[in-house]
Amino acid sequence: MSDIHIRIEGVAGRITLTRESALNALTYEMCLAIEDALDDWSKNADIRLLILDAVGDKAFCAGGDIAELYASGKRGDYAYGQQFWRDEYRMNAKLFEFPKPVVSFMQGFTMGGGVGFGCHASHRILCDTSQISMPEVGIGLVPDVGGSLVLAQSPGRLGEYLATTGARMSAGDAILAGFADYFIPQDRWPTLSRGLAETGDLALIEAQHETPPSGPIGAQRAEIDRHFDGETLIDIANSLRADPGEFAVKTLKTLSRNAPLSMACAVEIIHRTRGHSDIRRALALEYRFTHRAMEHGDFIEGIRAAIIDKTRDPVWKHTIDTLPAVAVSNMLLPLGKDALTFEKKDKIMQIGFIGLGNMGGPMAANLAAAGHAVTGFDTAGVTIAGVTNAASAATAATGRDVVITMLPNGAILRAVAADILPAMTKGATHIDCSTVDVDSARAVAQDADSMGVLCVDAPVSGGTGGASNGTLTFMAGGSDAAFAKAAPLFDIMGQKAVHCGASGAGQSAKICNNMILGVTMIATCEAFALADKLGLSREKMFDVVSTSSGYSWTMNAYCPAPGVGPQSPADNDYKPGFAAELMLKDLRLSQQAAQSVDADTPMGQNATELYETFVEQEDGTGMDFSAMLPRFEKRSRK
Ligand code: NAD
């Protein structure tokens, strides 16, 4: 990855941030890459220590990359941010708990997310350009990434002061506050890091350490401790208001710019964390706030004013004086099932989704609800909750980890694939969930392969109900690597995924399944029509067959008789869940496939002819495929 350089040198695992143009701000991908390296190196006996540093003079790391967080939050997609923070905090905990020495070299700015990367090291080195701060309250967050633990352990009330003002610490102040350990002039860093990588000898650091110039914050310790001693934010504000001195006036002015809810919660988090040394406990408490920050806090407004519009005029939800205590409690309530767990879950993927119809729409919505960043395109201009609309299929596919297509037929799939495959990144994955002919599936897979894109044909079973409820079955064809990439997404959209074989195997399985489905639906409908004429009630018919040897999915789960069995399209005037013309399409595909391999499929052929007549000569177009029942009802034996 171009933003980060991860390698082994001598006895050291080295991570260098190389995103200098963005002051080395951490992207989500960088956090995941750091975590992967930590996982590897903790078990690698050849590595004796870690060295963390960054290129450029201006900043070691100016925080987390908040542009995507803002964009997703603005469109009401809070799951992306929640997963970003969960995954970032897990990385912070792994750094803090790393079982070998970790040395960090922090020049220039180290802010917010940068503290979570550099200040949990065991040997933290600063120089005269170093400036460390936790300025989150200025954008409607709280000091996070485990920073609250460092703040809670700072001497006196420095933690409350630094958290609510976001003040920048010089090297002397940062060492005093517990954010760093050593002061070593920067021109000695290259030799020192080389020596550490060659020998692993930490005494080299001690030998270079100098006493840093004392900082201005340390000089104000007495006033800080006196004013920031209160229980709550309003106590702190009142203490400052009662003091006409320069420090109090200036500090009050700073507090007046920051988000009151964030400052009050930061004070509360520090109070609850003081006396503890467990990073996971601190991160879990911070996460209670960040999980809610977009929906219930000031985060979106804070970013807008500071970063997007740069107007610096945020309209916070509360003022210091009107902030109710219950607002603080509500932000810090336990999260129940959403609590931070530190398990490594699936990473957030950038997904393109093309074809947002009856099936594709709910499938895309489920992926977005699970926290993935989904960009969709449909020629009908459909809008789906949580999914960002793109102007074309190629735009939806550009730069995505995975592109999913859910289209009406093979011809459309081939046309769309010709647009999207050239736009996709090498190594990305195309998953086609449409039901199409085996030849189209194989042709698209071949094109994908020639462009370095992994490809899975993964048609589904389970209908629109399964698409909405995330209970589809996927039948997949493609390489092991492609299936492995797609599997976490199948888990979200479905209950089961079967890897049926090489490219085209998914469509083969689907075609066979749907041939059974078409035949069975016809058998179920003609049996109901016969039962009617024999004077048997439909309820009794259902009661018997659904628990006898004639049972089937079409009877038990998708009963074609209105008012009988579970809800189905029959109860909705046969408006399609699965349209008769789509069934005809699948049956034709089965017969085309049967012909190509010389298989004898008389029932499949008969079912194809019946649906052909129904759709093309009768009133089947636009009806659900179970509308065969009213068709048989009207007819007599010829
Ligand atoms: P649908 O007609 O509701 O959705 C297809 C969508 O694709 C439409 O919204 C259409 O506007 C869009 N589309 C067409 N051409 C496009 C293009 N060039 N670019 C972008 N979008 C385009 O159909 P559906 O019911 O969602 O079925 C989709 C696929 O899933 C079909 O292959 C079908 O056989 C299969 N399938 C459907 C069901 C079901 O119960 N509906 C069940 C299993 C499988």
Side-chain angles (χ1 to χ4, degrees):
M1 190 191 302
S2 61
D3 294 336
I4 191 163
H5 187 198
I6 296 177
R7 75 272 185 208
I8 296 174
E9 275 178 23
V11 296
R14 296 202 60 163
I15 303 178
T16 303
L17 306 185
T18 54
R19 198 171 174 236
E20 190 180 352
S21 59
L23 298 181
N24 294 317
L26 291 174
T27 63
Y28 179 64
E29 299 298 331
M30 289 161 78
C31 292
L32 295 180
I34 294 167
E35 183 187 17
D36 285 347
L38 297 178
D39 288 346
D40 276 0
W41 292 342
S42 62
K43 292 175 285 208
N44 183 339
D46 295 336
I47 290 184
R48 287 175 35 206
L49 85 173
L50 262 51
I51 300 175
L52 315 179
D53 60 8
V55 299
D57 293 330
K58 284 206 186 117
F60 167 70
C61 176
D65 190 38
I66 41 189
E68 183 59 33
L69 287 178
Y70 175 80
S72 58
K74 192 83 182 108
R75 61 173 185 260
D77 169 11
Y78 307 127
Y80 175 84
Q82 289 159 353
Q83 176 141 9
F84 182 108
W85 281 309
R86 268 201 308 269
D87 290 344
E88 183 183 22
Y89 293 1
R90 195 177 58 244
M91 178 273 282
N92 301 138
K94 286 184 179 179
L95 261 174
F96 185 95
E97 295 165 350
F98 199 73
K100 305 172 193 187
V102 181
V103 183
S104 59
F105 291 90
M106 297 181 277
Q107 77 282 13
F109 293 118
T110 297
M111 297 158 80
V115 167
F117 177 56
C119 295
H120 296 320
S122 55
H123 296 67
R124 302 161 296 181
I125 301 171
L126 303 183
C127 61
D128 54 0
T129 67
S130 302
Q131 292 199 57
I132 297 193
S133 61
M134 296 296 291
E136 289 85 350
V137 294
I139 53 164
L141 280 180
V142 291
D144 63 341
V145 297
S148 67
L149 181 64
V150 188
L151 291 167
Q153 293 175 342
S154 296
R157 298 294 169 175
L158 261 185
E160 286 88 335
Y161 170 76
L162 293 167
T164 51
T165 59
R168 289 179 184 166
M169 294 171 266
S170 65
D173 285 332
I175 292 173
L176 169 72
F179 281 80
D181 311 289
Y182 301 97
F183 180 78
I184 299 176
Q186 198 181 353
D187 57 1
R188 296 190 215 151
W189 289 8
T191 315
L192 177 56
S193 53
R194 241 190 337 272
L196 288 168
E198 277 164 16
T199 64
D201 181 5
L202 295 163
L204 294 174
I205 300 175
E206 299 286 348
Q208 298 288 336
H209 173 60
E210 295 181 0
T211 306
S214 53
I217 296 175
Q220 295 166 329
R221 272 289 307 280
E223 283 177 295
I224 289 172
D225 287 353
R226 180 155 57 85
H227 290 304
F228 284 80
D229 185 38
E231 267 299 298
T232 62
L233 178 66
I234 189 72
D235 298 332
I236 293 169
N238 285 339
S239 174
L240 291 165
R241 283 169 183 158
D243 179 348
E246 193 190 335
F247 168 82
V249 170
K250 212 172 133 204
T251 305
L252 205 48
K253 200 165 160 205
T254 305
L255 298 193
S256 73
R257 285 195 288 267
N258 295 332
L261 180 62
S262 295
M263 292 190 287
C265 288
V267 169
E268 179 65 19
I269 290 172
I270 290 170
H271 288 177
R272 290 197 206 175
T273 302
R274 187 161 281 136
H276 294 275
S277 56
D278 179 359
I279 184 107
R280 292 180 181 232
R281 186 182 179 283
L283 287 163
L285 192 51
E286 292 166 0
Y287 183 69
R288 291 185 190 176
F289 185 97
T290 45
H291 181 90
R292 298 176 168 110
M294 291 201 200
E295 197 173 358
H296 304 294
D298 288 305
F299 177 66
I300 303 281
E301 173 62 3
I303 298 290
R304 180 204 63 75
I307 317 276
I308 308 297
D309 297 346
K310 296 193 168 59
T311 48
R312 308 203 180 279
D313 59 349
V315 181
W316 304 126
K317 285 188 189 307
H318 308 276
T319 66
I320 292 179
D321 292 294
T322 59
L323 175 69
V326 69
V328 176
S329 321
N330 285 344
M331 289 302 282
L332 299 179
L333 281 174
L335 286 166
K337 67 173 179 37
D338 293 324
L340 187 65
T341 60
F342 300 96
E343 280 163 35
K344 198 168 179 177
K345 297 207 177 119
D346 302 326
K347 71 164 204 155
I348 300 172
M349 286 194 203
Q350 297 286 335
I351 299 173
F353 206 116
I354 296 155
L356 301 166
N358 290 328
M359 296 293 290
M363 289 163 74
N366 283 338
L367 293 171
H372 294 296
V374 185
T375 305
F377 174 71
D378 190 298
T379 40
V382 189
T383 307
I384 302 293
V387 175
T388 308
N389 274 352
S392 69
T395 317
T398 304
R400 313 291 162 210
D401 301 310
V402 171
V403 179
I404 301 177
T405 43
M406 192 51 167
L407 297 162
N409 59 48
I412 296 180
L413 169 67
R414 285 182 193 236
V416 168
D419 272 352
I420 61 171
L421 291 176
M424 287 176 68
T425 316
K426 267 194 168 57
T429 307
H430 172 218
I431 308 174
D432 176 49
C433 295
S434 332
T435 306
V436 302
D437 56 290
V438 178
D439 287 348
S440 292
R442 288 187 177 144
V444 167
Q446 207 168 7
D447 287 350
D449 192 45
S450 71
M451 295 182 206
V453 169
L454 297 170
C455 190
V456 190
D457 54 291
V460 302
S461 167
T464 48
S468 299
N469 299 330
T471 53
L472 294 169
T473 295
F474 290 85
M475 314 153 210
S479 66
D480 287 347
F483 182 77
K485 282 270 175 77
L489 302 183
F490 293 154
D491 282 350
I492 295 167
M493 298 184 285
Q495 59 182 354
K496 186 170 179 181
V498 181
H499 188 187
C500 302
S503 294
Q507 295 297 352
S508 303
K510 171 70 187 177
I511 284 166
C512 292
N513 180 74
N514 275 24
M515 188 173 79
I516 299 173
L517 177 65
V519 169
T520 323
M521 180 56 88
I522 290 172
T524 306
C525 291
E526 67 185 25
F528 263 120
L530 171 61
D532 287 347
K533 292 195 174 170
L534 293 173
L536 183 63
S537 98
R538 288 182 171 182
E539 280 81 9
K540 298 293 174 204
M541 168 83 172
F542 177 82
D543 273 359
V544 171
V545 175
S546 64
T547 52
S548 301
S549 47
Y551 82 97
S552 65
W553 185 84
T554 55
M555 174 60 84
N556 292 35
Y558 205 93
C559 182
V564 178
Q567 275 283 318
S568 71
D571 301 306
N572 191 21
D573 288 334
Y574 295 99
K575 291 206 180 73
F578 184 44
E581 39 295 25
L582 286 181
M583 175 46 87
L584 173 59
K585 176 191 90 171
D586 292 357
L587 285 165
R588 280 179 171 154
L589 291 177
S590 73
Q591 294 318 291
Q592 190 184 322
Q595 194 154 21
S596 71
V597 292
D598 194 24
D600 187 22
T601 54
M603 300 297 283
Q605 190 175 339
N606 216 333
T608 310
E609 285 161 12
L610 277 166
Y611 272 105
E612 220 158 51
T613 311
F614 184 46
V615 168
E616 293 179 352
Q617 294 165 34
E618 299 170 1
D619 57 357
T621 303
M623 302 290 275
D624 188 72
F625 84 121
S626 59
M628 271 286 170
L629 173 52
R631 174 188 186 273
F632 283 122
E633 246 175 76
K634 287 183 239 143
R635 298 171 64 88
S636 51
R637 196 173 181 83
K638 280 203 206 112

